[in-house]
Every structure is written in structure tokens, then in C-alpha cells.
Amino acid sequence: MFEPIRDLGSARILVTNDDGILAPGLAAMVRVARALCRDVWVVAPEVQQSAASHSLTVRSPLRLRRLGPRRFAVEGTPTDCVLMALNHVLKDRPPALVLSGVNRGANLGEDVIYSGTVAAALEAALLGARAIAFSLAVGNGAKARWGTVEAHAPELVRRLARGAWARDVIFNVNVPDRAPDRVTGVRTTVQGRRQVGLQIDSRVDPDGRPYFWIVDYSDDAPLGRGSDLKAVHEGAISVTPLCLDLTHRPSLGRLREGLA
Ligand code: MN
């Protein structure tokens, strides 16, 4: 277990994301971090990296650009950013906490498998740090209510930092798309699962050549009891503990018997 952080005010926080250094959600995450402490660092991707998952840049150079005091951009993925921050930029004094986000769009159910936002938090956990991924469940093209995250996240982070926190575990937080005072509470949830996945859409470009576009036709129903999907659907902030160990323990016994 991690030692509880009782004095977050004197801690160091690293902020990263997958929507890129210019994303409004990153600015919202920085405001959340600054509401908690003064020593806030940003290391984020130069460009949009959504659905980058846990990819790592190993076949091209990794460029680090200093944009100002405690602010850096990496020509790479969210995973690259966390690695660059923890093993280079902040090597001498690692952050007590890593905040990833705020992602524009929910990271619920199987989204976490594709998510760069969640991957950045998992990378921090791999390197021994505490991390929380934040996503706002805003629909495509809709105006994002970052203020809802800013209203609720600082107190939530304080409570998570003070509470029981196992090593190799991150918290995946999803905030519903509604006004701050319309949020129905904070719920502890499990990772849900949607009904349908992604489809390949066949299209034709203006030159008459075919191309394909991956389209998400996922249906949020069934929402599943106690799931992250259900909590956000019902207007609550969802907090799901996720872990690095992907082993399916219930299968171990049967597997041993089958391979004996
Ligand atoms: Mn994203």
C-alpha cells in the first residue's frame, strides 16, 4: 500500500493527457492540480493522441520541447510523456501524484483498453507512482463542461490521496456531462461492458477512391449493475480502481487442471 498523502499542499503533481498540450481539458486538469498544490508540472503530447493506448515510441527520436517553467511537450504518446517526466524531467524529485486528463469524452467500459488517458496513468503506476485518470463524458460536438470537473475533482483527489491506495492500482474517474450542482454523487464502480463494438465504415473520397473509417456504434445498454457506465448515465461521478495485473485469477485452477 502507499502511505496516505495528508499534506497534498506541499506535494508535487504531474499533469499529462492524451488530447495534447493545447487541449482545453489539460488546462482544466492544471487548474484542478493548482487548487491542490503549487508545484504543478505539465508534460503532455504535442498533438492529439486519443486511442493511442499504451503505445511507446521506440523507432523514432523522442523530442522534448520546453514551453515554459514546469511545462513541456513531447513529440510522442501519453506513455512517452509519463516516462519522460518520471525518468528525466522530474527524475530528482518524482511527483507524489500524476493526474491524466481531463479527457474530452468518457473512458468507460472497454474504452479503457484503447484510452491514452488511462494508459498514461497506468504507465505512472508501472513506474511506481500514484495516478488518477480523469475524463468528462461529453458527447461529440457538444460544449464541454470543464467547470463540473473543476468543481468536484480537487476534493475527490484529496479524499483518494488520504485513503487506502494499493500499489499498481490507478483510479479511473469519469465525470457526467451536467452542471456541477446536478451531479448526483460519487460512486465506486466496476469496469462495465457495452453491447456492440467498433465497425468499419466503407466510404468514397472526393476523388472516387474508397477509404474506411472506424465508427463507434456502441450501445451503452445494458449498463450493468455497479458499472462505470451506469453511474455516469445516472449523473454520478464514477471512480473505478484499475490494476496492472491482467491475470484472470478464476481461470487459474481450471487451467492448471486442463494442462496437467
Ligand atoms: Mn483523448
Side-chain angles (χ1 to χ4, degrees):
M1 299 293 281
F2 285 111
E3 284 292 310
I5 312 176
R6 292 188 201 286
D7 181 20
L8 209 50
S10 58
R12 166 173 284 186
I13 293 182
L14 167 71
V15 175
T16 190
N17 75 344
D18 79 348
D19 292 340
I21 191 81
L22 297 174
L26 182 75
M29 195 84 271
V30 168
R31 289 194 291 273
V32 168
R34 291 215 174 111
L36 295 164
C37 71
R38 266 178 290 181
D39 194 14
V40 177
W41 292 71
V42 176
V43 181
E46 288 275 7
V47 294
Q48 173 61 256
Q49 296 287 324
S50 290
S53 184
H54 213 121
S55 66
L56 186 64
T57 302
V58 291
R59 295 187 192 280
S60 60
L62 214 50
R63 313 263 181 211
L64 178 70
R65 192 162 65 100
R66 186 176 176 277
L67 300 167
R70 302 178 185 183
R71 189 174 175 88
F72 298 81
V74 174
E75 225 173 278
T77 66
T79 301
D80 295 334
C81 290
V82 172
L83 198 55
M84 182 67 87
L86 270 58
N87 285 355
H88 179 72
V89 180
L90 305 177
K91 200 174 180 184
D92 296 334
R93 192 193 157 199
L97 183 65
V98 177
L99 299 179
S100 180
V102 178
N103 189 61
R104 195 196 146 81
N107 276 306
L108 299 163
E110 72 282 1
D111 293 340
V112 304
I113 302 292
Y114 303 95
S115 170
T117 307
V118 171
L122 290 172
E123 180 63 16
L126 270 174
L127 300 175
R130 260 178 266 241
I132 307 171
F134 275 93
S135 304
L136 178 63
V138 54
N140 277 344
K143 194 172 182 295
R145 281 188 255 225
W146 304 115
T148 302
V149 182
E150 288 172 56
H152 291 278
E155 185 51 27
L156 176 60
V157 172
R158 270 189 214 104
R159 283 162 63 192
L160 290 173
R162 274 199 306 261
W165 194 329
R167 285 186 177 273
D168 294 350
V169 169
I170 66 148
F171 296 113
N172 183 35
V173 177
N174 280 274
V175 176
D177 179 25
R178 47 169 72 196
D181 58 348
R182 300 287 309 280
V183 171
T184 58
V186 176
R187 280 195 220 165
T188 304
T189 57
V190 298
Q191 187 186 339
R193 182 79 180 263
R194 293 185 183 85
Q195 211 152 28
V196 197
L198 305 164
Q199 302 291 332
I200 301 292
D201 218 41
S202 306
R203 301 179 183 185
V204 181
D205 75 11
D207 293 333
R209 291 176 306 176
Y211 72 98
F212 301 91
W213 200 269
I214 296 172
V215 184
D216 189 357
Y217 291 113
S218 299
D219 184 356
D220 279 1
L223 296 167
R225 210 162 143 246
S227 76
D228 49 4
L229 287 157
K230 190 163 196 286
V232 169
H233 184 74
E234 292 174 359
I237 294 174
S238 163
V239 184
T240 313
L242 299 176
C243 63
L244 291 172
D245 183 352
L246 299 177
T247 312
H248 184 245
R249 290 179 195 283
S251 290
L252 281 174
R254 275 170 296 176
L255 183 63
R256 267 191 214 104
E257 282 169 30
L259 297 179

